[in-house]
Short mmCIF file of all heavy atoms in Angstrom, two decimals:
data_model
loop_
_atom_site.label_atom_id
_atom_site.label_comp_id
_atom_site.label_asym_id
_atom_site.label_seq_id
_atom_site.Cartn_x
_atom_site.Cartn_y
_atom_site.Cartn_z
N MET D 647 2.22 0.45 6.67
CA MET D 647 1.19 -0.22 6.02
C MET D 647 -0.24 0.26 6.31
O MET D 647 -0.99 0.42 5.53
CB MET D 647 1.43 -1.74 6.17
CG MET D 647 2.46 -2.33 5.32
SD MET D 647 2.70 -1.62 3.66
CE MET D 647 1.06 -2.14 2.92
N PRO D 648 -0.58 0.43 7.59
CA PRO D 648 -1.79 1.01 7.94
C PRO D 648 -2.11 2.32 7.13
O PRO D 648 -3.21 2.51 6.62
CB PRO D 648 -1.80 1.30 9.40
CG PRO D 648 -0.91 0.27 9.88
CD PRO D 648 0.22 0.11 8.92
N LEU D 649 -1.14 3.17 6.95
CA LEU D 649 -1.25 4.43 6.25
C LEU D 649 -1.37 4.15 4.74
O LEU D 649 -2.12 4.93 4.00
CB LEU D 649 -0.21 5.40 6.54
CG LEU D 649 -0.29 6.80 5.95
CD1 LEU D 649 -1.62 7.47 6.17
CD2 LEU D 649 0.80 7.80 6.38
N PHE D 650 -0.72 3.26 4.28
CA PHE D 650 -0.76 2.84 2.74
C PHE D 650 -2.17 2.46 2.57
O PHE D 650 -2.73 2.78 1.49
CB PHE D 650 0.22 1.78 2.51
CG PHE D 650 1.18 2.16 1.45
CD1 PHE D 650 2.62 1.95 1.55
CD2 PHE D 650 0.84 2.80 0.28
CE1 PHE D 650 3.51 2.28 0.62
CE2 PHE D 650 1.65 3.17 -0.71
CZ PHE D 650 3.08 2.87 -0.45
N VAL D 651 -2.77 1.59 3.48
CA VAL D 651 -4.15 1.07 3.33
C VAL D 651 -5.06 2.20 3.42
O VAL D 651 -6.06 2.30 2.66
CB VAL D 651 -4.41 -0.01 4.17
CG1 VAL D 651 -5.78 -0.51 4.24
CG2 VAL D 651 -3.46 -1.26 4.19
N LEU D 652 -4.99 3.07 4.36
CA LEU D 652 -5.85 4.23 4.48
C LEU D 652 -5.84 5.14 3.17
O LEU D 652 -6.86 5.36 2.73
CB LEU D 652 -5.39 5.03 5.71
CG LEU D 652 -6.27 6.26 6.09
CD1 LEU D 652 -6.20 6.49 7.66
CD2 LEU D 652 -6.03 7.47 5.34
N ILE D 653 -4.75 5.41 2.66
CA ILE D 653 -4.55 6.20 1.42
C ILE D 653 -5.33 5.42 0.22
O ILE D 653 -5.94 5.97 -0.56
CB ILE D 653 -3.10 6.53 1.11
CG1 ILE D 653 -2.48 7.31 2.16
CG2 ILE D 653 -3.09 7.17 -0.35
CD1 ILE D 653 -3.16 8.78 2.26
N SER D 654 -5.02 4.06 0.15
CA SER D 654 -5.69 3.20 -0.80
C SER D 654 -7.15 3.22 -0.69
O SER D 654 -7.88 3.39 -1.67
CB SER D 654 -5.21 1.87 -0.72
OG SER D 654 -3.82 1.76 -1.14
N GLY D 655 -7.65 3.25 0.56
CA GLY D 655 -9.07 3.48 0.68
C GLY D 655 -9.58 4.83 0.27
O GLY D 655 -10.79 4.94 -0.37
N TYR D 656 -8.92 5.83 0.59
CA TYR D 656 -9.31 7.25 0.17
C TYR D 656 -9.31 7.25 -1.30
O TYR D 656 -10.26 7.96 -1.94
CB TYR D 656 -8.30 8.25 0.72
CG TYR D 656 -8.54 9.64 0.32
CD1 TYR D 656 -9.65 10.36 0.77
CD2 TYR D 656 -7.76 10.29 -0.70
CE1 TYR D 656 -9.88 11.77 0.33
CE2 TYR D 656 -7.99 11.55 -1.11
CZ TYR D 656 -8.95 12.23 -0.71
OH TYR D 656 -9.26 13.50 -1.19
N LEU D 657 -8.43 6.71 -2.09
CA LEU D 657 -8.40 6.69 -3.46
C LEU D 657 -9.26 5.80 -4.14
O LEU D 657 -9.41 5.67 -5.45
CB LEU D 657 -6.93 6.56 -4.07
CG LEU D 657 -5.96 7.64 -3.55
CD1 LEU D 657 -4.54 7.22 -3.98
CD2 LEU D 657 -6.29 8.97 -4.11
N SER D 658 -9.90 5.00 -3.37
CA SER D 658 -10.91 3.91 -3.85
C SER D 658 -12.40 4.49 -3.80
O SER D 658 -13.34 3.72 -4.14
CB SER D 658 -10.80 2.64 -3.08
OG SER D 658 -9.59 2.02 -3.30
N ARG D 659 -12.53 5.77 -3.26
CA ARG D 659 -13.91 6.25 -3.05
C ARG D 659 -14.77 6.21 -4.34
O ARG D 659 -15.95 5.87 -4.28
CB ARG D 659 -13.90 7.68 -2.56
CG ARG D 659 -13.28 7.77 -1.01
CD ARG D 659 -13.16 9.29 -0.75
NE ARG D 659 -12.20 10.01 -1.70
CZ ARG D 659 -12.30 11.20 -2.15
NH1 ARG D 659 -13.32 11.98 -1.60
NH2 ARG D 659 -11.58 11.69 -3.13
N ASN D 660 -14.15 6.53 -5.52
CA ASN D 660 -14.97 6.61 -6.77
C ASN D 660 -14.51 5.52 -7.72
O ASN D 660 -14.53 5.64 -8.84
CB ASN D 660 -14.69 7.94 -7.49
CG ASN D 660 -15.14 9.15 -6.49
OD1 ASN D 660 -16.31 9.02 -5.86
ND2 ASN D 660 -14.36 10.16 -6.36
N PHE D 661 -13.95 4.45 -7.06
CA PHE D 661 -13.38 3.44 -7.92
C PHE D 661 -14.35 2.78 -8.93
O PHE D 661 -14.09 2.45 -10.15
CB PHE D 661 -12.73 2.35 -7.10
CG PHE D 661 -11.96 1.37 -7.88
CD1 PHE D 661 -10.54 1.59 -8.28
CD2 PHE D 661 -12.45 0.06 -8.19
CE1 PHE D 661 -9.80 0.72 -9.03
CE2 PHE D 661 -11.65 -0.89 -8.89
CZ PHE D 661 -10.34 -0.51 -9.35
N TRP D 662 -15.64 2.66 -8.53
CA TRP D 662 -16.55 2.01 -9.40
C TRP D 662 -17.30 2.98 -10.19
O TRP D 662 -18.23 2.66 -10.86
CB TRP D 662 -17.51 1.25 -8.48
CG TRP D 662 -16.84 0.03 -7.79
CD1 TRP D 662 -16.48 0.15 -6.46
CD2 TRP D 662 -16.52 -1.16 -8.31
NE1 TRP D 662 -15.86 -1.13 -6.09
CE2 TRP D 662 -16.01 -1.89 -7.26
CE3 TRP D 662 -16.72 -1.87 -9.63
CZ2 TRP D 662 -15.53 -3.24 -7.39
CZ3 TRP D 662 -16.35 -3.06 -9.74
CH2 TRP D 662 -15.75 -3.80 -8.59
N ASN D 663 -16.89 4.28 -10.27
CA ASN D 663 -17.64 5.32 -11.09
C ASN D 663 -17.29 5.31 -12.59
O ASN D 663 -17.67 5.98 -13.30
CB ASN D 663 -17.43 6.55 -10.50
CG ASN D 663 -18.09 6.74 -9.09
OD1 ASN D 663 -18.75 5.74 -8.63
ND2 ASN D 663 -18.03 7.85 -8.44
N SER D 664 -16.23 4.46 -13.04
CA SER D 664 -15.85 4.59 -14.45
C SER D 664 -15.34 3.14 -14.90
O SER D 664 -14.97 2.34 -13.98
CB SER D 664 -14.82 5.53 -14.62
OG SER D 664 -13.44 4.97 -14.21
N ASN D 665 -15.56 2.85 -16.13
CA ASN D 665 -15.23 1.58 -16.61
C ASN D 665 -13.78 1.43 -16.65
O ASN D 665 -13.28 0.35 -16.35
CB ASN D 665 -15.66 1.47 -18.21
CG ASN D 665 -17.25 1.31 -18.31
OD1 ASN D 665 -17.84 0.69 -17.38
ND2 ASN D 665 -17.80 1.94 -19.30
N ALA D 666 -12.99 2.52 -16.86
CA ALA D 666 -11.57 2.39 -16.87
C ALA D 666 -11.05 1.88 -15.48
O ALA D 666 -10.07 1.03 -15.63
CB ALA D 666 -10.92 3.73 -17.22
N LYS D 667 -11.52 2.49 -14.51
CA LYS D 667 -11.00 2.11 -13.11
C LYS D 667 -11.39 0.66 -12.82
O LYS D 667 -10.59 -0.19 -12.20
CB LYS D 667 -11.50 2.96 -12.04
CG LYS D 667 -10.87 4.41 -12.09
CD LYS D 667 -11.42 5.21 -10.88
CE LYS D 667 -10.71 6.67 -10.88
NZ LYS D 667 -11.18 7.41 -9.84
N THR D 668 -12.71 0.22 -13.30
CA THR D 668 -13.03 -1.16 -12.98
C THR D 668 -12.22 -2.20 -13.86
O THR D 668 -11.89 -3.21 -13.37
CB THR D 668 -14.55 -1.27 -13.36
OG1 THR D 668 -15.28 -0.40 -12.77
CG2 THR D 668 -14.98 -2.67 -13.08
N ASN D 669 -11.82 -1.74 -15.07
CA ASN D 669 -10.96 -2.60 -15.87
C ASN D 669 -9.57 -2.86 -15.17
O ASN D 669 -9.00 -3.82 -15.24
CB ASN D 669 -10.64 -1.98 -17.24
CG ASN D 669 -11.97 -1.95 -18.06
OD1 ASN D 669 -12.97 -2.51 -17.74
ND2 ASN D 669 -11.87 -1.20 -19.15
N LYS D 670 -9.22 -1.86 -14.32
CA LYS D 670 -7.86 -2.05 -13.67
C LYS D 670 -7.86 -3.16 -12.67
O LYS D 670 -6.77 -3.54 -12.13
CB LYS D 670 -7.47 -0.73 -13.05
CG LYS D 670 -7.02 0.42 -14.03
CD LYS D 670 -6.56 1.65 -13.30
CE LYS D 670 -6.06 2.55 -14.45
NZ LYS D 670 -4.89 2.16 -15.20
N LEU D 671 -9.05 -3.74 -12.31
CA LEU D 671 -9.07 -4.85 -11.41
C LEU D 671 -8.30 -6.09 -12.02
O LEU D 671 -7.60 -6.83 -11.32
CB LEU D 671 -10.48 -5.22 -11.14
CG LEU D 671 -11.27 -4.37 -10.14
CD1 LEU D 671 -12.66 -4.83 -10.10
CD2 LEU D 671 -10.53 -4.21 -8.65
N VAL D 672 -8.28 -6.06 -13.30
CA VAL D 672 -7.55 -7.06 -14.10
C VAL D 672 -6.21 -6.59 -14.54
O VAL D 672 -5.18 -7.19 -14.38
CB VAL D 672 -8.36 -7.63 -15.28
CG1 VAL D 672 -7.49 -8.57 -16.15
CG2 VAL D 672 -9.72 -8.27 -14.92
N ASP D 673 -6.23 -5.33 -15.08
CA ASP D 673 -5.04 -4.77 -15.75
C ASP D 673 -3.85 -4.67 -14.74
O ASP D 673 -2.81 -5.08 -14.98
CB ASP D 673 -5.31 -3.37 -16.19
CG ASP D 673 -6.17 -3.47 -17.42
OD1 ASP D 673 -6.57 -4.56 -17.79
OD2 ASP D 673 -6.53 -2.32 -18.01
N THR D 674 -4.17 -4.10 -13.48
CA THR D 674 -3.03 -3.95 -12.52
C THR D 674 -3.31 -4.53 -11.21
O THR D 674 -2.72 -4.15 -10.21
CB THR D 674 -3.00 -2.37 -12.39
OG1 THR D 674 -4.26 -1.81 -12.14
CG2 THR D 674 -2.39 -1.67 -13.52
N PHE D 675 -4.05 -5.56 -11.15
CA PHE D 675 -4.19 -6.46 -10.05
C PHE D 675 -3.86 -7.90 -10.35
O PHE D 675 -2.95 -8.51 -10.10
CB PHE D 675 -5.60 -6.31 -9.36
CG PHE D 675 -5.92 -5.18 -8.55
CD1 PHE D 675 -6.26 -4.02 -9.11
CD2 PHE D 675 -5.59 -5.22 -7.17
CE1 PHE D 675 -6.52 -2.91 -8.40
CE2 PHE D 675 -5.84 -4.09 -6.32
CZ PHE D 675 -6.30 -3.02 -7.00
N VAL D 676 -4.86 -8.36 -11.18
CA VAL D 676 -4.70 -9.87 -11.53
C VAL D 676 -3.52 -10.24 -12.32
O VAL D 676 -2.71 -11.13 -11.99
CB VAL D 676 -6.02 -10.37 -12.17
CG1 VAL D 676 -5.94 -11.87 -12.45
CG2 VAL D 676 -7.28 -10.10 -11.26
N ILE D 677 -3.29 -9.48 -13.52
CA ILE D 677 -2.26 -9.86 -14.40
C ILE D 677 -0.84 -9.68 -13.67
O ILE D 677 -0.01 -10.53 -13.70
CB ILE D 677 -2.29 -9.07 -15.71
CG1 ILE D 677 -3.59 -9.37 -16.39
CG2 ILE D 677 -1.02 -9.39 -16.60
CD1 ILE D 677 -3.84 -10.88 -16.82
N PRO D 678 -0.56 -8.57 -13.16
CA PRO D 678 0.62 -8.27 -12.32
C PRO D 678 0.85 -9.33 -11.34
O PRO D 678 2.02 -9.86 -10.93
CB PRO D 678 0.63 -6.96 -11.78
CG PRO D 678 -0.27 -6.22 -12.74
CD PRO D 678 -1.33 -7.26 -13.16
N TYR D 679 -0.33 -9.59 -10.52
CA TYR D 679 -0.21 -10.71 -9.46
C TYR D 679 0.34 -11.91 -9.99
O TYR D 679 1.35 -12.49 -9.26
CB TYR D 679 -1.51 -10.85 -8.85
CG TYR D 679 -1.53 -11.89 -7.80
CD1 TYR D 679 -1.21 -11.54 -6.38
CD2 TYR D 679 -2.06 -13.13 -8.12
CE1 TYR D 679 -1.26 -12.55 -5.39
CE2 TYR D 679 -2.01 -14.12 -7.12
CZ TYR D 679 -1.69 -13.81 -5.82
OH TYR D 679 -1.67 -14.79 -4.74
N VAL D 680 -0.23 -12.40 -10.96
CA VAL D 680 0.42 -13.85 -11.53
C VAL D 680 1.68 -13.63 -12.00
O VAL D 680 2.52 -14.63 -11.70
CB VAL D 680 -0.69 -14.25 -12.69
CG1 VAL D 680 -0.26 -15.48 -13.31
CG2 VAL D 680 -2.10 -14.50 -12.16
N ILE D 681 1.95 -12.59 -12.73
CA ILE D 681 3.42 -12.46 -13.16
C ILE D 681 4.47 -12.43 -12.10
O ILE D 681 5.48 -13.12 -12.12
CB ILE D 681 3.55 -11.24 -14.21
CG1 ILE D 681 2.72 -11.46 -15.40
CG2 ILE D 681 4.92 -10.99 -14.49
CD1 ILE D 681 2.51 -10.10 -16.38
N VAL D 682 4.08 -11.60 -11.11
CA VAL D 682 5.03 -11.43 -10.02
C VAL D 682 5.16 -12.75 -9.19
O VAL D 682 6.25 -13.10 -8.75
CB VAL D 682 4.61 -10.34 -9.05
CG1 VAL D 682 5.35 -10.28 -7.84
CG2 VAL D 682 4.68 -9.00 -9.82
N GLU D 683 4.12 -13.45 -9.03
CA GLU D 683 4.08 -14.86 -8.44
C GLU D 683 5.11 -15.75 -9.13
O GLU D 683 5.85 -16.34 -8.45
CB GLU D 683 2.75 -15.47 -8.23
CG GLU D 683 1.77 -14.84 -7.19
CD GLU D 683 2.24 -15.28 -5.83
OE1 GLU D 683 2.63 -16.41 -5.67
OE2 GLU D 683 2.33 -14.45 -4.98
N VAL D 684 4.95 -15.80 -10.32
CA VAL D 684 5.79 -16.69 -11.15
C VAL D 684 7.22 -16.28 -11.17
O VAL D 684 8.12 -17.03 -10.92
CB VAL D 684 5.15 -16.83 -12.69
CG1 VAL D 684 6.25 -17.61 -13.51
CG2 VAL D 684 3.93 -17.42 -12.68
N GLY D 685 7.47 -14.90 -11.20
CA GLY D 685 8.82 -14.31 -11.22
C GLY D 685 9.44 -14.58 -9.87
O GLY D 685 10.64 -15.03 -9.91
N TYR D 686 8.81 -14.41 -8.83
CA TYR D 686 9.49 -14.68 -7.46
C TYR D 686 9.69 -16.23 -7.29
O TYR D 686 10.77 -16.56 -6.56
CB TYR D 686 8.64 -14.19 -6.32
CG TYR D 686 8.87 -12.69 -6.10
CD1 TYR D 686 7.95 -11.70 -6.39
CD2 TYR D 686 10.20 -12.30 -5.60
CE1 TYR D 686 8.20 -10.30 -6.08
CE2 TYR D 686 10.42 -10.96 -5.35
CZ TYR D 686 9.59 -9.99 -5.62
OH TYR D 686 9.81 -8.64 -5.49
N ALA D 687 8.79 -17.00 -7.85
CA ALA D 687 9.01 -18.54 -7.77
C ALA D 687 10.32 -18.84 -8.50
O ALA D 687 11.20 -19.64 -8.04
CB ALA D 687 7.91 -19.30 -8.33
#
Side-chain angles (χ1 to χ4, degrees):
M647 283 317 297
L649 184 50
F650 241 135
V651 176
L652 188 149
I653 295 298
S654 296
Y656 176 75
L657 296 174
S658 298
R659 293 172 303 147
N660 302 316
F661 188 78
W662 294 99
N663 291 359
S664 75
N665 292 325
K667 288 185 178 181
T668 305
N669 292 349
K670 286 184 178 295
L671 288 175
V672 174
D673 290 3
T674 47
F675 280 87
V676 179
I677 301 300
Y679 175 82
V680 174
I681 292 174
V682 172
E683 280 291 313
V684 174
Y686 276 112

